[in-house]
Amino acid sequence: MKRIFLALFLLTATFSVGFHQQASAQTATTPVTPSAFTSKVNLLDSHIAAGNMTAANTTWTEVHGMMLSVLSKSKTSIRSAATTADKTTHTSILENQQNIYWAVWNLKTNLAANRVPLKTKLDEFGATIY
């Protein structure tokens, strides 16, 4: 019984440290601008077009991080909305961003084969950045 409690304690401590580190990393990011996101998406597209999948995967990681930062900002905007109308607007934007995010997530499994629809969805996501 003591071993079970010890194992649960260690497991809980491990997850707690991981969540704390992740939260710290997210707060240290700079805001994502539409132009910076578009530049990174264009770079990703050029790597895929050139067949440089190593560089494409590295750039994908950066694009993905930018997307997560944008989603985080949208959630913060909802929490800090001054009016119900403002909150509704930000909620609508976040829902759209999340739908696009999941479409992109499903396309990223094969960057080369999904190059065109991936770029289209990433451009759609970029249009939602404020």
Side-chain angles (χ1 to χ4, degrees), residues 25-102:
Q26 287 178 353
T27 57
T29 61
T30 57
V32 176
T33 63
S35 61
F37 186 79
T38 299
S39 294
K40 194 62 71 172
V41 168
N42 289 338
L43 179 61
L44 172 64
D45 187 56
S46 68
H47 288 316
I48 297 169
N52 187 349
M53 299 316 288
T54 301
N57 283 317
T58 300
T59 306
W60 159 254
T61 301
E62 295 170 3
V63 168
H64 183 250
M66 293 172 92
M67 292 175 77
L68 292 177
S69 180
V70 169
L71 291 168
S72 177
K73 179 185 175 202
S74 294
K75 290 176 185 176
T76 300
S77 296
I78 292 169
R79 285 191 299 271
S80 64
T83 66
T84 304
D86 193 29
K87 185 175 184 172
T88 301
T89 299
H90 289 297
T91 301
S92 177
I93 292 169
L94 177 63
E95 288 172 357
N96 189 30
Q97 288 172 337
Q98 288 174 327
N99 289 334
I100 297 168
Y101 174 87
W102 287 115

Side-chain angles (χ1 to χ4, degrees), residues 60 67 100-108 118 121-122:
W60 159 254
M67 292 175 77
I100 297 168
Y101 174 87
W102 287 115
V104 167
W105 186 258
N106 290 325
L107 292 169
K108 68 99 184 161
L118 179 67
K121 284 296 181 184
L122 287 170

